[in-house]
């Protein structure tokens, strides 16, 4: 399953919640304000790095760049564009939005 | 079909196709409209004879607690509608255990019968679904 | 692949409508089909004929209208949500239509994937 998270982890618990529901084959895509969850040196970095050990995590690059966060992305988080977003949705049987 | 179901304008034949629809509720009632309006979608889905499950996670668990009296805020109390779901053959209601416990709630606090699942069990349920809608 | 899209928020206040639009555009460019875009909750405001955003910014309503027209996408606004918020035929932008929640359910049934954009 593909999980999209569109809110910052320091604003809402969506990312933290989402991580509790990941199973084999899950992937997480951070979009909109959710890309703040992709950053190094924040209160939630450890939580994200831990999840990254077991699950692929992606961030929507246009959202990262819009927010000026392009030099702060955690190593291992894959950056995709909207075309990559589409591919991720197509590749997974279902998609769930964590709002 | 009524205007609300939009059945009159159906161009494609969906008869016979049954998919598993899961409605994920994570927001508290009344502070925003999501709880009420998502309930309306749940009922319409049953009218289409689909396989409907409803999950309450995080603050969504507050949607189904007893004792909601809304006269003071002058907003329609829609909590009785959760009890009416059974009449629409919607009986698969799930509450996530940790969400419930961290909010100081027990099964007896809920106004409808629910199945309490751990996050892991809920995740397994999610994997069986064809369409997942969040509001 | 056939995609259904659900937009739960109105234009400008939330990024949902923008992300949904850019997703839809990318999907079309990759050769996929958009079965329907369904506007619910405040998403119904994406169909208002009356919006006048500043000239130097994107026109969200017109952008949806053009995408719908160019690629024959069904842009549907939920009747119950619309009535609550004062969106009616008389202030509906051309290219959108008002219909029931059944259209969302049907999109879930008919599409290969249903993607939700909200708050």
């Amino acid at each position: 399953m593909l999980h999209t998270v569109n809110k910052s982890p320091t604003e809402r618990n969506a990312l933290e919640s989402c991580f509790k529901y990941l199973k084999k084959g899950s992937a997480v895509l951070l979009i909109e304000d959710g890309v703040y969850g992709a950053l190094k040196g924040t209160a939630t970095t450890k939580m994200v790095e831990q999840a990254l050990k077991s699950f692929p995590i992606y961030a929507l690059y246009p959202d990262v760049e819009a927010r000026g966060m392009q030099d702060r992305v955690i190593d291992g988080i894959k950056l995709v564009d909207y075309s990559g977003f589409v591919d991720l949705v197509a590749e997974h049987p279902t998609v769930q939005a964590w709002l | 079909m009524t205007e609300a179901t939009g059945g009159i304008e159906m161009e494609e034949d969906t008869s016979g196709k049954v998919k598993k629809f899961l409605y994920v509720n994570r927001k508290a009632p009344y502070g925003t409209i999501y709880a009420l309006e998502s309930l309306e979608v749940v009922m319409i889905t049953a009218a289409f004879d689909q396989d409907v499950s409803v999950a309450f996670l995080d603050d969504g668990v507050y949607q189904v607690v007893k004792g909601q009296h809304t006269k003071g805020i002058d907003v329609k109390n829609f909590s009785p509608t959760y009890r009416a779901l059974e009449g629409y053959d919607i009986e698969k209601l799930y509450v996530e255990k940790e969400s419930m416990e961290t909010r100081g709630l027990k099964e007896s606090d809920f106004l409808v019968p629910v199945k309490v699942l751990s996050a892991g069990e809920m995740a397994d349920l999610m994997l069986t679904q064809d369409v997942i809608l969040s509001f | 692949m056939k995609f259904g899209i659900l937009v739960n928020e109105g234009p400008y206040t939330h990024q949902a409508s923008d992300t949904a639009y850019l997703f839809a555009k990318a999907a079309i460019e990759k050769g996929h089909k958009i079965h329907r875009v369904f506007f619910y909750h405040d998403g119904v405001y994406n169909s208002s004929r009356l919006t006048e955003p500043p000239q130097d910014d994107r026109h969200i309503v017109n952008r949806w209208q053009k995408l719908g027209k160019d690629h024959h996408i069904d842009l549907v606004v939920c009747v119950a949500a619309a009535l609550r918020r004062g969106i009616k035929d008389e202030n509906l932008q051309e290219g959108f239509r008002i219909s029931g929640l059944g259209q969302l359910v049907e999109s879930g049934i008919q599409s290969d994937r249903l993607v939700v954009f909200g708050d």
Side-chain angles (χ1 to χ4, degrees):
Chain A
M1 176 163 341
L2 177 69
H3 301 260
T4 62
V5 180
N6 72 318
K7 288 297 177 189
S8 159
T10 37
E11 181 198 333
R12 288 222 194 139
N13 73 349
L15 183 61
E16 193 186 340
S17 263
C18 168
F19 281 169
K20 297 206 289 223
Y21 297 85
L22 301 181
K23 290 261 165 163
K24 190 158 175 277
S26 292
V28 179
L29 171 64
L30 305 172
I31 65 172
E32 298 177 7
D33 287 343
V35 301
Y36 290 114
L39 309 183
K40 293 187 270 213
T42 75
T44 55
T45 304
K46 263 212 171 72
M47 174 182 78
V48 177
E49 284 173 337
Q50 186 57 31
L52 206 44
K53 290 180 183 162
S54 314
F55 306 100
I57 300 180
Y58 302 85
L60 191 57
Y61 186 68
D63 277 323
V64 172
E65 197 184 30
R67 292 158 176 77
M69 298 287 122
Q70 49 273 49
D71 297 328
R72 297 169 187 256
V73 178
I74 293 167
D75 297 320
I77 288 189
K78 294 175 232 202
L79 298 167
V80 295
D81 57 10
Y82 288 98
S83 178
F85 186 171
V86 173
D87 287 340
L88 284 170
V89 173
E91 278 155 23
H92 292 82
T94 37
V95 50
Q96 182 173 187
W98 293 83
L99 305 172
Chain B
M1 290 275 210
T2 64
E3 182 191 54
T5 61
I8 296 165
E9 283 130 323
M10 257 167 57
E11 303 109 2
E12 292 153 274
D13 178 24
T14 56
S15 60
K17 242 191 198 168
V18 177
K19 278 193 175 175
K20 291 190 166 73
F21 280 75
L22 173 66
Y23 291 90
V24 177
N25 293 290
R26 293 180 48 246
K27 294 176 177 155
Y30 305 114
T32 56
I33 203 172
Y34 303 108
L36 167 63
E37 285 190 326
S38 72
L39 200 48
E40 290 176 351
V41 190
V42 170
M43 295 200 291
I44 296 294
T45 314
F48 274 67
D49 296 321
Q50 299 299 295
D51 184 338
V52 178
S53 298
V54 187
F56 300 93
L57 282 55
D58 299 327
D59 275 2
V61 302
Y62 286 126
Q63 290 179 25
V64 284
V65 304
K66 292 176 184 161
Q68 297 178 32
H69 302 294
T70 62
K71 205 152 160 247
I73 58 169
D74 203 13
V75 166
K76 182 182 166 190
N77 179 6
F78 64 94
S79 63
T81 314
Y82 293 103
R83 278 197 291 266
L85 291 180
E86 200 189 4
Y88 286 77
D89 287 331
I90 301 169
E91 288 162 331
K92 294 192 266 195
L93 306 182
Y94 303 95
V95 161
E96 194 269 317
K97 192 166 186 287
E98 197 186 322
S99 300
M100 182 178 94
E101 288 171 354
T102 54
R103 288 161 180 80
L105 297 171
K106 311 179 289 293
E107 246 180 286
S108 55
D109 291 318
F110 299 130
L111 45 73
V112 273
V114 296
K115 187 153 189 223
V116 178
L117 300 179
S118 66
E121 289 168 331
M122 185 76 82
D124 287 332
L125 171 76
M126 287 167 172
L127 286 173
T128 65
Q129 303 296 305
D130 298 307
V131 185
I132 300 181
L133 284 155
S134 318
F135 297 94
Chain C
M1 210 164 255
K2 230 194 282 180
F3 292 103
I5 290 177
L6 172 60
V7 179
N8 283 344
E9 298 302 334
Y12 305 102
T13 304
H14 296 91
Q15 199 182 354
S17 184
D18 289 284
T19 308
Y21 170 82
L22 292 168
F23 176 89
K25 206 156 151 274
I28 290 163
E29 278 159 17
K30 295 189 77 90
H32 296 293
K33 260 211 88 197
I34 307 294
H35 174 261
R36 178 171 294 141
V37 182
F38 192 86
F39 298 92
Y40 197 41
H41 304 307
D42 280 357
V44 301
Y45 291 121
N46 284 287
S47 68
S48 167
R49 192 166 55 72
L50 305 177
T51 69
E52 272 187 52
Q55 298 273 349
D56 62 349
D57 199 357
R58 77 263 192 235
H59 197 304
I60 291 181
V61 175
N62 289 356
R63 211 167 58 165
W64 275 119
Q65 180 199 44
K66 184 171 193 306
L67 193 75
K69 188 166 176 226
D70 291 348
H71 301 284
H72 311 290
I73 301 173
D74 192 19
L75 304 176
V76 180
V77 169
C78 171
V79 59
L83 285 175
R84 258 194 186 105
R85 295 161 175 84
I87 297 289
K88 300 178 174 182
D89 281 323
E90 59 242 50
N91 56 351
L92 192 72
Q93 177 67 295
E94 211 189 302
F96 292 80
R97 65 184 183 97
I98 296 178
S99 187
L101 275 169
Q103 299 287 283
L104 171 59
V105 179
E106 194 206 54
S107 200
I109 297 169
Q110 296 296 350
S111 304
D112 298 302
R113 303 286 186 272
L114 182 58
V115 194
V116 178
F117 298 92
D119 183 45

